[in-house]
Amino acid sequence: MIIAAWLVALFFAANIGASGTAASMGAAYGAGAVRKKWVALLLVAVAAFLGAVIGGGNVVKTIGSGIVPSHVITVEITVIILGAACLTLFGSNLFGVPLSTSEVTVGAVVGAGLAMGHVHYVHLLFIIAVWLVMPFLAMCIALGLGSLVRHVEPRLLRKAKGVVPILISLLVLAGCYEAFSAGMNNVANAVGPMVASGILTVHAGLYWGALFVSLGALTLGSKVLDTNAKKITKLSLMQGIVVSFTSATLVLIASLFGLPVPQTQATTMAIFGVGQSHVGSDIWRQGVVTHILKTWIVSW
């Protein structure tokens, strides 16, 4: 069972890299700041690894003991939790749909806790409230900033010489910042149950999880990167900066408080917000948007 837990956890971590962290460079790749896909995925992998090992410990503790008591999570329960979450996430990656790893993991932990009769309901309700608020907060912030950018960016590009290379650099930096925050928040989903069951220490769990999240971003993240980068709406350089910094900052704050949050949904909704500021409500009529929203509902 321990071997099974290792295999499922590492495979889950790789899928987290594909779904959550690969989406982090979607704005930069979609806006053309990073033209080669493999470069975008490599930057994501490095930044996510650093985010996990530097600041992922608080969220690991929440996944391991903040939702259900840690003594409830045995090796067998760990396999069940990770297996359920992994199958859900793997299915979404096959369709190229960005799905929240935090939601599927917490859902699996809650399911196991309900079966065992032990759930910290107050903490769980607070986490769910944050889930409901964060994506729409990201959309509203991005909508407001996107409206401002729509008026400022054309004038800036016309009047300021040499501004494009600066914007490109800022956008790539923003994508790395977003991947860093994703690493802080998402790696815990794969290793938190392992830590709770005593298979790994927090320190070792973060390194192993970070390694396989990075590998997953490199090898499995292509479809999700394409979805966020080009299939929702085409982003300009400044719009891409707005998306990445909005999502990354919200997720970073949540990670510092140990809250597992839907980083992928925050990023995607920020893209929706910027897109709406540019093309209006027509963005909600696109087939890919409907497909993404339906997948989110099913995952819940």
Side-chain angles (χ1 to χ4, degrees), residues 61-262:
K61 294 175 183 177
T62 298
I63 294 293
S65 60
I67 301 170
V68 301
S70 57
H71 67 81
V72 173
I73 304 179
T74 63
V75 175
E76 292 79 9
I77 295 297
T78 295
V79 174
I80 292 171
I81 290 170
L82 294 176
C86 186
L87 285 174
T88 305
L89 188 61
F90 182 63
S92 74
N93 286 340
L94 290 178
F95 290 103
V97 175
L99 185 65
S100 168
T101 59
S102 295
E103 288 182 358
V104 297
T105 305
V106 171
V109 171
V110 171
L114 289 173
M116 303 297 291
H118 295 282
V119 177
H120 297 315
Y121 289 103
V122 174
H123 199 185
L124 174 62
L125 290 174
F126 180 72
I127 290 173
I128 292 174
V130 173
W131 286 356
L132 294 174
V133 171
M134 177 171 285
F136 291 98
L137 179 60
M139 185 188 72
C140 292
I141 293 173
L143 175 60
L145 293 177
S147 300
L148 179 63
V149 163
R150 184 162 58 90
H151 297 290
V152 171
E153 188 171 16
R155 299 176 185 177
L156 186 63
L157 293 176
R158 284 197 305 267
K159 296 180 180 180
K161 295 182 179 180
V163 71
V164 172
I166 296 174
L167 291 178
I168 289 175
S169 299
L170 286 174
L171 183 53
V172 174
L173 181 64
C176 293
Y177 172 41
E178 188 175 354
F180 181 91
S181 69
M184 286 182 67
N185 203 270
N186 289 342
V187 169
N189 295 315
V191 300
M194 298 270 283
V195 172
S197 61
I199 298 173
L200 285 172
T201 64
V202 174
H203 184 73
L206 288 175
Y207 272 94
W208 277 104
L211 175 61
F212 276 80
V213 162
S214 299
L215 291 174
L218 283 171
T219 58
L220 301 173
S222 178
K223 284 187 177 181
V224 177
L225 182 63
D226 280 334
T227 297
N228 267 36
K230 299 178 179 179
K231 294 183 180 180
I232 298 174
T233 186
K234 185 172 177 58
L235 300 173
S236 68
L237 293 173
M238 289 189 71
Q239 287 173 337
I241 293 170
V242 166
V243 168
S244 290
F245 270 102
T246 298
S247 172
T249 300
L250 291 174
V251 173
L252 183 69
I253 293 171
S255 299
L256 293 175
F257 286 95
L259 296 173
V261 292

Side-chain angles (χ1 to χ4, degrees), residues 261-277:
V261 292
Q263 180 263 349
T264 303
Q265 291 183 10
T267 300
T268 305
M269 291 295 280
I271 293 174
F272 288 169
V274 166
Q276 187 169 345
S277 72

